[in-house]
């Protein structure tokens, strides 16, 4: 589902977390993508539900198409871990790298990938992986 938002500024990790905190209680994995302008204002979002409790297929083509449609400068990705553990999995790292490779040639930045869980939040940027 694609949703357009009014210009809310995502200035830091706390603001980014606020967009996605509700994902922590979802019983299945859900991916969320926020599209940001050059001043880090929210232009729109897409949410994608996984087909199983522990798996999410990221729609890379749709994310790139949305970013271009919004004329975004950055994409902020988040997804939840229903297990409650926010530790990024090898699949999370692989997916992040795939999305990063798709965005970079178009001069689009992957602002962060947040893993949201009841036990906390992991930020790929804070971990030094972006």
């Amino acid at each position: 589902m694609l949703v357009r938002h009014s210009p809310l500024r995502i200035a830091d990790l706390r603001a980014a977390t606020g967009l996605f905190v509700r994902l922590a209680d979802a019983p299945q994995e859900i991916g969320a993508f926020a599209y940001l302008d050059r001043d880090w204002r929210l232009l729109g979002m897409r949410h994608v539900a996984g087909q199983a409790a522990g798996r999410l297929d990221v729609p890379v083509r749709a994310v790139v198409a949305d970013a271009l449609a919004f004329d975004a400068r950055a994409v902020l990705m988040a997804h939840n871990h229903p297990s409650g553990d926010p530790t990024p999995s090898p699949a999370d790292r692989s997916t992040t790298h795939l999305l990063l490779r798709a965005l970079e040639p178009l001069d689009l930045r992957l602002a962060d990938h947040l893993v949201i869980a009841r036990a906390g939040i992991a930020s790929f940027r804070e971990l030094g992986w972006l």
Side-chain angles (χ1 to χ4, degrees):
M1 173 173 67
L2 185 61
V3 180
R4 290 183 187 270
H5 288 272
S6 60
L8 168 69
R9 191 159 191 283
I10 309 302
D12 54 24
L13 180 59
R14 183 170 180 237
T17 299
L19 283 177
F20 304 116
V21 71
R22 291 184 179 166
L23 295 177
D25 295 321
Q28 69 188 52
E29 282 201 24
I30 297 175
F33 304 88
Y35 304 97
L36 309 173
D37 71 9
R38 73 179 77 250
D39 296 319
W40 296 85
R41 288 185 303 244
L42 181 65
L43 299 169
M45 293 182 72
R46 175 184 290 272
H47 289 79
V48 179
Q51 300 302 319
R55 186 162 189 270
L56 175 70
D57 291 321
V58 173
V60 174
R61 287 179 64 139
V63 171
V64 170
D66 291 345
L68 293 173
F70 281 118
D71 195 24
R73 295 294 179 252
V75 176
L76 176 60
M77 177 183 177
H79 82 284
N80 65 317
H81 278 181
S83 68
D85 180 0
T87 304
S89 70
D92 295 340
R93 291 185 75 172
S94 176
T95 298
T96 302
H97 184 68
L98 180 68
L99 184 58
L100 184 64
R101 283 193 348 243
L103 294 172
E104 281 182 334
L106 301 169
D107 199 26
L108 293 166
R109 179 176 182 199
L110 183 56
D112 206 340
H113 179 175
L114 304 175
V115 181
I116 312 291
R118 287 183 298 281
I121 296 169
S123 160
F124 274 56
R125 186 148 309 277
E126 283 193 347
L127 290 167
W129 296 345
L130 283 177

